Amino acid sequence: MADRQKTIGVLTGGGDVPGLNPALKTLVARASESGYRVVGIRRGWGGLLAYNRDDPDSWDHTVMPLDRHAVRTVDRSGGTFLHTSRTNPGKVAATDVPLFLRGDNFDPGAAESHDFTAHILSNLEHLGIDVLIPIGGDDTLSYAERLNREGVPIVAIPKTMDNDVFGTDYCIGFSTAVTRSVNFIHNLRTSAGSHERIAVVELFGRNSGETSLISAYLAGVDRALISEVPFDVEKLALLLQEDKKSNRSNYAMVTISEGASMVGGQIVEYGQEDAYGHKKLGGIGVVVSEAVKQLTGSHIIYQQLSYLMRSGAPDSLDLMVAYNYANMTMDLITEGMSGRMVAMQGGTYRHIPISTIMQGEKRVDVAELYDAIEYRPKVRHVLGKPMFLY
């Protein structure tokens, strides 16, 4: 009897970023060349949670076979054609439990969450998946790390526009997010200058202020507020007032991470926690705008870039990394390796144990890259640093 064709499962979780579709296309192409069958899991971990082994009619909603024809044109756009979610199968709220998983004594109003990891493991076995490729940020990959400990062969690909997965210098999506931000910041100068205002630009970045820092650095913004350093809004107002006066066009600009906070204050968040314990962020820019307006008397332009940073097609760097991460992932699989995450360290492509992501937090190196007194980027040394400085 012929050997069973080996099967690769692939999913994308968390926020979408440019570069996911090119990575998926490359994975499928390489897998096809190497004789693997590929199953795409829809909506991230949510697809595996909603997969009902006893209801074949529902399978098309959660999984899909992937071949060259299915991915032929997907690299021409951003986002992920597999769709995504922030589902954590190890911590599912009662209201999010699929109907078929609710037993006779199920309480939809229960406060405690449910762990459906056993269900996920059974589904992976039912689908015949030999190796699973999760593409995601630290939340998505933290559950992949758990599955790896449960015995599931995993080869992970890091992606997040915040670039904050521990163990790698670079995650798919970061370059495009910064490129978008720099372009929008420069475009906003025309209105800020025309109306002689202070522009407050709020960027995505929950725990890591890298997008605010690097975007401000590359766009030559007056001040940058980052998640790692609480700021004094009265001091900020004085600095921006000085920046405005010293500018012949009589305007100033500041970028701010959505996860930034004032001295003695808290981050601005709202809504219910997701499956990874995060509430939605956004709005600190409004708070800062109102405070700066009152303190300086200047009119404000407040612009929240948010999803514009992650929308659309990837730039050339994210294309390069997406293709290379995908090819390296398939190299590892064909060599029989698992429990790894592809990564970039010191400008070099590498692979590391997936457990590495649980060993620390990746944050802005304030001492090397930021002036916490003047609230602006300050790159003290470039020699020996990676392309994006850390």
Side-chain angles (χ1 to χ4, degrees):
M1 184 175 65
D3 292 338
R4 179 180 67 84
Q5 185 180 26
K6 289 191 175 181
T7 299
I8 293 172
V10 60
L11 61 85
T12 53
D16 67 293
V17 298
L20 291 174
N21 284 338
L24 290 168
K25 179 176 180 177
T26 303
L27 286 168
V28 172
R30 280 288 309 277
S32 177
E33 291 173 1
S34 303
Y36 290 89
R37 168 177 167 262
V38 182
V39 173
I41 298 164
R42 305 183 67 182
R43 304 178 188 89
W45 296 121
L48 278 178
L49 178 67
Y51 181 79
N52 185 349
R53 299 184 296 277
D54 299 323
D55 183 13
D57 291 338
S58 69
W59 293 351
D60 288 345
H61 298 290
T62 54
V63 297
M64 60 186 299
L66 297 181
D67 56 21
R68 287 180 176 273
H69 178 73
V71 300
R72 186 178 66 85
T73 62
V74 300
D75 59 327
R76 302 173 190 176
S77 62
T80 166
F81 78 96
L82 285 179
H83 307 293
T84 185
S85 72
R86 297 188 184 278
T87 302
N88 179 355
K91 186 180 179 183
V92 182
T95 53
D96 296 329
V97 175
L99 293 177
F100 73 92
L101 290 176
R102 302 184 181 192
D104 295 336
N105 299 320
F106 182 81
D107 180 6
E112 68 272 9
S113 60
H114 300 262
D115 186 351
F116 286 104
T117 299
H119 170 68
I120 299 299
L121 294 172
S122 294
N123 281 348
L124 290 172
E125 183 178 3
H126 186 265
L127 289 166
I129 291 176
D130 297 288
V131 182
L132 183 62
I133 304 174
I135 309 176
D138 49 3
D139 286 339
T140 298
L141 299 188
S142 68
Y143 188 72
E145 191 273 337
R146 177 179 175 181
L147 288 184
N148 183 70
R149 285 187 279 113
E150 296 280 356
V152 178
I154 298 283
V155 181
I157 298 178
K159 70 86 209 162
T160 169
M161 53 180 285
D162 294 347
N163 203 34
D164 61 354
V165 174
F166 187 77
T168 180
D169 295 340
Y170 192 83
C171 303
I172 296 173
F174 178 65
S175 176
T176 308
V178 170
T179 299
R180 296 266 195 281
S181 300
V182 170
N183 289 340
F184 283 126
I185 288 168
H186 283 318
N187 290 342
L188 198 59
R189 290 183 185 277
T190 60
S191 292
S194 296
H195 296 275
E196 300 178 271
R197 297 184 178 183
I198 294 174
V200 178
V201 183
E202 183 177 332
L203 305 174
F204 273 151
R206 175 178 294 275
N207 298 313
S208 173
E210 189 173 357
T211 50
S212 176
L213 178 81
I214 300 299
S215 297
Y217 178 60
L218 297 180
V221 171
D222 299 299
R223 309 290 163 176
L225 304 177
I226 61 176
S227 307
E228 292 81 355
V229 179
F231 61 93
D232 181 331
V233 72
E234 293 185 358
K235 177 181 174 182
L236 173 68
L238 289 174
L239 291 171
L240 289 172
Q241 206 165 23
E242 294 173 2
D243 295 331
K244 189 171 182 285
K245 289 179 180 178
S246 64
N247 186 338
R248 292 181 62 182
S249 294
N250 197 33
Y251 76 92
M253 304 189 80
V254 56
T255 61
I256 179 169
S257 299
E258 62 176 354
S261 61
M262 296 184 190
V263 174
Q266 296 180 329
I267 61 174
V268 177
E269 54 186 0
Y270 60 94
Q272 293 185 329
E273 291 184 353
D274 64 17
Y276 295 95
H278 305 315
K279 292 183 177 181
K280 289 185 178 296
L281 289 182
I284 183 62
V286 173
V287 176
V288 170
S289 297
E290 290 299 320
V292 170
K293 181 179 180 179
Q294 291 182 13
L295 291 166
T296 65
S298 173
H299 290 291
I300 305 294
I301 292 177
Y302 165 61
Q303 185 64 58
Q304 188 180 42
L305 294 187
S306 60
Y307 286 95
L308 290 172
M309 297 170 62
R310 65 172 12 134
S311 300
D315 65 13
S316 57
L317 180 58
D318 271 324
L319 274 176
M320 177 72 76
V321 176
Y323 289 146
N324 291 342
Y325 275 179
N327 277 314
M328 189 161 55
T329 296
M330 285 307 306
D331 287 342
L332 292 173
I333 290 174
T334 56
E335 292 168 9
M337 300 185 68
S338 65
R340 313 297 293 179
M341 181 180 79
V342 296
M344 189 177 294
Q345 295 179 342
T348 302
Y349 289 100
R350 301 180 184 277
H351 57 89
I352 60 178
I354 191 172
S355 59
T356 304
I357 67 170
M358 309 297 292
Q359 297 173 4
E361 296 179 333
K362 188 182 178 195
R363 300 291 182 263
V364 168
D365 186 343
V366 174
E368 282 289 311
L369 302 173
Y370 188 68
D371 188 331
I373 304 299
E374 296 293 327
Y375 301 149
R376 58 173 36 145
K378 186 174 182 179
V379 180
R380 292 167 174 83
H381 306 284
V382 172
L383 185 65
K385 289 192 179 298
M387 180 174 59
F388 274 109
L389 301 181
Y390 74 100

